[in-house]
Each structure stands twice: as structure tokens, then as C-alpha cells.
Amino acid sequence: MDQPIPSIEDLPPVHKHLFARAGIRNCSDVWMNAPSDIARKLKVSTEDVQAAIDALCSVIAPKPTLLAHSEQCNQPGCFTTGDPSLDEALGGGVRLGMMTEICGESSSGKTQLALQLALTAQLREEENGVNSGVAYFTTTSALPVKRLTELASHHPKLRDHSAKAFTDNVHACSTSTVPALISVIKHALPQLCKQAEFSKGKLKPIRVLVIDSLGSLFQSINRTTTSTLVERAKSLNEVSQLLHSLASSRNMAIIVINQVTDIFQSPEDPYSHQPFDPNAHPSLIYKEQAVWFNRGPSTGARSVQEATLGLIWANQLNVRLMLTRTKRRVRPPTSNDKGNPNKRQKTSKKMDAAQFARLVAMWNASDEDEGEMEDLGQLEWAAYGIALGDLEEQWDISEPDNQSVGLSDRDIEEEEILESSDVEENLLL
């Protein structure tokens, strides 16, 4: 839009001459001057200046196009996460043109999932990828290249390709401060995108950005005051505006890693144990509403956790994935499973729904009221034990002895990959 006015061929010469007399060379200069000021300077009527401006607008205004001719209509809308269950929950995978957040406690698999997304995005379209390069920005530590190479070499969806081809299209950058992150997004990233576009196929176009992690940049050891909160809100707004601009203008998938904090609720808190009343007047208290956008469901005896960065950042997201650590482990079936007596076998029998509901009720009772568990009779305890046994067979909670006996090296590698990415996905879409 900021093109020189003399270079516009369709603009009549009389209007070009009028702008030249006023000292206006570029289109952007027209919007910075009021028509009355230009008319006063040239000693002409305001109607003549307005006519010249209208003619300029009609020439440079973008023309409507059919959706069938739009480039984005022929581009894939999402790419796979590498996990079919997670893809189904997300409606196909990670969406382009949107901002996705991955948050969770320490060692819950946030970076693991981000690294996997940085690789699956590079797959071809027929493999549910977008054939894209990835910009990976780190804030507190360097990019784990060794782990990235291991994923590219051993993941079932990636191991048929060259691991070096994957790592060559991941562009890493360290941004340890908020000003550094803003500067890189404003200047370095657009230059990188242009460099990839004009590389004549040597580099894949950058269509995925990963920030690992944004929450750590806003953690401060200084005392929280009104001024620091205002400054943080301004920085968050600036970062989110830049990311949304990238997502919309370049159809990029923005993936941001965030952290969580524990929520401690005391019995004196009037909103911690308040029963739900459908006839009560709805309230907009933050503690009550945050459960819908900042928190995930509590798992057993774990405390409630809430995503950091508050309400301002939560309003900027399109998708939020909340991960949590569990003791559940899924092992891939191997050819040696039947002949290995030390390896626990999965049962094909589904747990009875009533029995499972009874187990959940007993489990909740053990967390909330130990007295109810003490009153259970012998038959109740037996039912509780049977339900636990069925659950243990399905999820293999305990660690069996000599579990690697009879496994090949390839089976062990696959097993380690699944165990390292063992997370429970709580999705707030």
C-alpha cells in the first residue's frame, strides 16, 4: 500500500500533479494529511482534494476474489500430531492460522510434544503433514537436538525418512528476554521466511512457529506491584498481537508452551467447596469462571492446577492442551509377548461399567473421607480389589520384573519412546 504515487499508472495525471504540488510522494503520506490541510496549502477547494484522494483509493484498493482462486483454499488446514487419538480430539490435528498452547507441570511431556510437532509438520500432505519448515524459539535452555534426532529416527511415522532431512529444516533461536523475543518476531522471523521462500527448494517454507516456553519469560523474582503487572500486560498484548499477525498473514501454526501453578484452596474460602445451585444467580467471579479456560480436572489426590499468564493470555488462544503426569503406561505389543512369562499381558475383557463406577466412588471416598473407607465390609473390600486388578491389567500400573527379557533392541526403543511421552491429555478447546 505504500507505493510511490508517480508509479501508479491508472491514476489520472491531474491528480498526480496535485499530490506532487503538495509534496506528497507516497500513498502513506496521503493518509497522514487531512484534505482540508492539503486544500489550504495548495489554495484549492476541499472537493478537488477529496476527488483526488477518492481516485487514488479506487485505484489501489484490493479487488475481491473468488474463494476458489484463493491460495489458502488449496492448502491443508492442519497437520498430524503423530498420535491418532490426539488428532481425533483436535479435529484432525494442529490447525494452521491459529494459536495453540501446550501447558502442564514439569516433566509432563510439553517439550516432547512440541518436538514431535516440529517433525510431523515437515511430512508431506499425503502423510497428513504440511511440508513445512519450523522456527523453534527457546527461552531458558538450548534446543534438545539429541532428543529431536531420536524422535526423527524411531517414531513410527518418521523413521522411514532421513533424520538429517528433518533436523535441517528446524531453525532454532534463543530468546532469553521479552524484548529479545519481540525483536526476533518482528525482524528476524520475517527475514527467515523470505529466505526460505527464495531458496529454490533448498529450505521448506516456514509455516510453524514453536515458542518453548513463554511462561518462563514472565516469571519475576521481584515484588509484584501495580506497575509490574501493567508492564507485563502490555508485553503480553504486544507478543500476542505479533503472533496473531503472523498466524493470519502467513497462515502459520503458532505453538506456545506454557507452565502451570498449583491452586491452594482453604476451607475458609467461600468459593472452594460451594455446592452447585442451578437456580442461583450467575456470577462472574474469577475463581469460579477460571475452571472453564485456565484449569483442568483434578486427577485423584492431585491438587488443582492452573495455567500461568492469567486471563489476558487465555483470551488470545484458539486451542489449549493441558498435560499432566500419570503412572499409567502403554507398551506396544511385540512378537515375544506370548512367550515371556515376566511381561504382564493386556486383557481383552472390558471392565464392567458398574464395577468401574464403584471403583471411582470408592477412590473419591478415600480422598475426601477416610471414615467411609474404614466402614467398608469384607465384600466391599473384595469388590474394590477386583476392580483395581482389572484396572491394573488394562493400564499396567506396577512395574513388572525383567520386563526387557526377550525384547529386541527395536522393541526396547519403541517402548522407551512411548513411555517418555506418557501424558494424559485434558483438552480445553
Side-chain angles (χ1 to χ4, degrees), residues 83-149:
D83 183 89
S85 300
L86 189 54
D87 287 344
E88 183 180 359
L90 293 174
V94 178
R95 296 281 172 180
L96 297 179
M98 293 187 179
M99 192 182 304
T100 302
E101 182 197 74
I102 304 173
C103 65
E105 58 194 300
S106 178
S107 301
S108 61
K110 301 186 297 296
T111 299
Q112 175 80 7
L113 180 57
L115 292 175
Q116 187 165 301
L117 294 176
L119 296 174
T120 56
Q122 301 182 41
L123 294 173
R124 298 186 297 270
E125 294 183 15
E126 54 268 23
E127 298 174 310
N128 296 327
V130 289
N131 196 26
S132 165
V134 179
Y136 201 108
F137 296 166
T138 58
T139 58
T140 56
S141 60
L143 177 68
V145 181
K146 181 180 178 180
R147 186 56 184 158
L148 185 68
T149 306

Side-chain angles (χ1 to χ4, degrees), residues 17-267:
H17 180 66
L18 185 145
F19 290 125
R21 287 174 52 198
I24 298 176
R25 303 297 179 185
N26 299 320
C27 294
S28 60
D29 298 333
V30 177
W31 324 132
M32 301 301 295
N33 294 273
S36 57
D37 296 337
I38 299 176
R40 191 181 305 107
K41 181 178 181 180
L42 299 179
K43 297 182 179 180
V44 296
S45 64
T46 306
E47 289 75 11
D48 293 340
V49 176
Q50 189 63 50
I53 295 176
D54 292 341
L56 177 64
C57 292
S58 63
V59 171
I60 67 174
K63 303 298 187 295
T65 58
L66 293 174
L67 292 178
H69 300 160
S70 176
E71 295 181 358
Q72 293 188 4
C73 289
N74 300 322
Q75 295 177 354
C78 61
F79 62 92
T80 178
T81 63
D83 183 89
S85 300
L86 189 54
D87 287 344
E88 183 180 359
L90 293 174
V94 178
R95 296 281 172 180
L96 297 179
M98 293 187 179
M99 192 182 304
T100 302
E101 182 197 74
I102 304 173
C103 65
E105 58 194 300
S106 178
S107 301
S108 61
K110 301 186 297 296
T111 299
Q112 175 80 7
L113 180 57
L115 292 175
Q116 187 165 301
L117 294 176
L119 296 174
T120 56
Q122 301 182 41
L123 294 173
R124 298 186 297 270
E125 294 183 15
E126 54 268 23
E127 298 174 310
N128 296 327
V130 289
N131 196 26
S132 165
V134 179
Y136 201 108
F137 296 166
T138 58
T139 58
T140 56
S141 60
L143 177 68
V145 181
K146 181 180 178 180
R147 186 56 184 158
L148 185 68
T149 306
E150 291 176 351
L151 275 172
S153 302
H154 301 294
H155 194 281
K157 291 183 177 292
L158 307 171
R159 62 189 176 198
D160 294 336
H161 303 272
S162 170
K164 187 177 184 301
F166 283 115
T167 56
D168 287 346
N169 282 281
V170 178
H171 309 268
C173 180
S174 178
T175 55
S176 57
T177 62
V178 175
L181 177 63
I182 293 175
S183 177
V184 169
I185 296 176
K186 277 185 176 180
H187 307 291
L189 185 57
Q191 293 177 3
L192 177 62
C193 293
K194 290 182 179 180
Q195 179 183 354
E197 291 174 0
F198 295 102
S199 64
K200 297 181 179 180
K202 295 181 180 179
L203 297 175
K204 295 182 179 180
I206 309 298
R207 300 180 64 187
V208 177
L209 169 63
V210 180
I211 301 178
D212 184 6
S213 66
L214 185 63
S216 59
L217 287 181
F218 291 90
Q219 290 180 350
S220 176
I221 61 175
N222 299 325
R223 182 180 178 183
T224 302
T225 61
T226 302
S227 60
T228 57
L229 290 176
V230 171
E231 186 65 26
R232 191 183 84 155
K234 290 181 179 179
S235 300
L236 272 176
N237 279 327
E238 184 174 3
V239 171
S240 61
Q241 288 175 6
L242 291 173
L243 295 179
H244 275 293
S245 177
L246 281 173
S248 59
S249 62
R250 298 184 177 273
N251 196 30
M252 293 181 65
I254 310 297
I255 302 169
V256 181
I257 294 180
N258 195 8
Q259 300 167 343
V260 296
T261 181
D262 289 329
I263 302 299
F264 299 97
Q265 296 178 334
S266 61

